[in-house]
Amino acid sequence: MNREELQEQLEYYKALGHQVPKMKYIKTPEQIEGIREAGRINSAVLDYVSERIKAGISTQDIDDWVAECTARHNAICAPLNYQGYPKHVCVSVNDVVCHGIPSKKKILKEGDIVNVDCTTIYNGYYGDASRMFIIGQTKPEYERLVRVTKQCLDIGLEAVKPWGFLGDVGYAIEQHASRNGFKVVRDYGGHGCGIEFHEDPMVLHYGKKGKGCLIVPGMTFTIEPMINMKKSGVRISALDGWTAYTKDGLPSAQWEYTIAVFEDHVEILSK
Ligand code: MF3
Ligand code: CO
Ligand code: CO
């Protein structure tokens, strides 16, 4: 399908009352290749972190590794100065849901569950992914949270179909979380990603089948479920305006991919 035919299809769905993506966010093959390269570097930076993360290091050490490794690839850390964010990466430990700010004072210890969320800019294109790390041994219940959250991401990915709907994805994720007794965080979502850091549409991790934005070949977006143990509520630190904590103080987990949708398949661009 060429861009003109695509435009026509979008008009058709819009007339039926569906949300459709903006044409400027339907990427060309050249743009997808650029986002793929950014995603490859982003994944390599996360690999670099995974080889080093252990008990006794500070979350500032992770920030240093991400800055150094990204620079070595001639790339840029997107978080730094993004809407005033002060560091190169987000590191969210235990009851931090997301946007944890690295600090020399925050030392990782045995039993911690840690999300490291990296976003890389290369040649003007963006890749965004995050992984969980378990420091040594943790409680079985925390391990299960980390494992089920990864399954939520992979089940969400499976639900991505060209000419399907983002509601199908959110529905699949929430089903899996709730079947396992966990709660989906509703205050944050995935997002279009590739030519900007956060593009339309928002990708909710809950929803209704057949609802939400149409999924169109050429879209690139993240899926990044945040899953809480008992309650979905989140509060943002009044001290730094960024750090999001669970209201109940229980741990939270998150995994993130950037993906691209094609007419006949879906590709992970960064993981
Ligand atoms: N990487 C996060 C995401 O997945 C966004 C972090 S914004 C920052 O969307 F400013 F905190 F870096
Ligand atoms: Co993201
Ligand atoms: Co991210």
Side-chain angles (χ1 to χ4, degrees):
M1 204 182 285
N2 64 36
R3 283 186 93 77
E4 215 168 293
E5 290 166 333
L6 199 67
Q7 177 103 54
E8 250 171 55
Q9 277 296 306
L10 297 193
E11 295 297 337
Y12 168 78
Y13 276 96
K14 215 169 152 183
L16 290 175
H18 290 292
Q19 254 173 272
V20 301
K22 294 195 186 102
M23 264 319 271
K24 69 167 169 174
Y25 293 133
I26 308 296
K27 280 77 172 184
T28 65
E30 293 71 30
Q31 287 175 318
I32 292 181
E33 181 51 30
I35 302 164
R36 187 181 281 121
E37 278 181 18
R40 229 179 262 136
I41 297 171
N42 194 242
S43 300
V45 173
L46 281 167
D47 289 344
Y48 189 71
V49 170
S50 68
E51 287 159 16
R52 281 161 184 79
I53 193 166
K54 59 173 194 219
I57 63 119
S58 73
T59 56
Q60 177 61 46
D61 291 329
I62 299 174
D63 200 80
D64 295 342
W65 302 337
V66 168
E68 170 217 315
C69 184
T70 303
R72 233 189 311 115
H73 285 89
N74 300 310
I76 296 167
C77 297
L80 186 63
N81 300 320
Y82 176 77
Q83 293 183 358
Y85 187 78
K87 296 282 175 171
H88 299 83
V89 58
C90 297
V91 183
S92 303
V93 183
N94 298 336
D95 64 332
V96 177
V97 175
C98 63
H99 303 164
I101 301 176
S103 157
K104 271 187 205 163
K105 287 186 283 185
K106 182 68 190 172
I107 308 294
L108 298 184
K109 58 177 194 309
E110 172 101 9
D112 284 344
I113 64 168
V114 185
N115 175 273
V116 178
D117 188 344
C118 281
T119 312
T120 303
I121 312 173
Y122 184 70
N123 205 7
Y125 295 106
Y126 289 75
D128 184 13
S130 81
R131 300 181 194 166
M132 291 300 294
F133 301 97
I134 296 175
I135 306 303
Q137 281 249 67
T138 193
K139 294 183 189 172
E141 197 52 10
Y142 294 9
E143 258 176 45
R144 193 171 73 88
L145 177 69
V146 170
R147 187 170 63 244
V148 168
T149 303
K150 177 63 161 50
Q151 291 165 354
C152 282
L153 173 54
D154 287 323
I155 285 165
L157 174 68
E158 281 302 306
V160 176
K161 305 283 179 216
W163 307 108
F165 297 91
L166 285 180
D168 307 345
V169 179
Y171 176 83
I173 290 170
E174 184 161 45
Q175 277 289 308
H176 190 68
S178 64
R179 253 206 320 247
N180 283 279
F182 296 141
K183 290 288 192 306
V184 172
V185 170
R186 299 172 101 84
D187 305 61
Y188 300 96
H191 48 93
C193 186
I195 52 181
E196 295 161 23
F197 194 164
H198 294 107
E199 304 168 353
D200 291 338
M202 190 169 181
V203 179
L204 297 173
H205 303 113
Y206 59 92
K208 294 197 170 86
K209 281 187 196 171
K211 302 279 184 192
C213 187
L214 182 70
I215 300 174
V216 174
M219 285 173 84
T220 57
F221 59 87
T222 73
I223 308 175
E224 49 181 299
M226 280 149 268
I227 306 294
N228 289 359
M229 224 137 163
K230 287 225 167 75
K231 291 189 166 173
S232 63
V234 164
R235 72 174 174 86
I236 295 172
S237 161
L239 291 175
D240 63 37
W242 281 102
T243 314
Y245 294 91
T246 59
K247 274 190 185 161
D248 61 13
L250 291 171
S252 182
Q254 178 179 29
W255 293 81
E256 175 177 25
Y257 299 151
T258 302
I259 67 168
V261 180
F262 295 91
E263 295 197 21
D264 53 0
H265 70 288
V266 176
E267 178 182 339
I268 299 176
L269 301 179
S270 190
K271 67 190 296 183

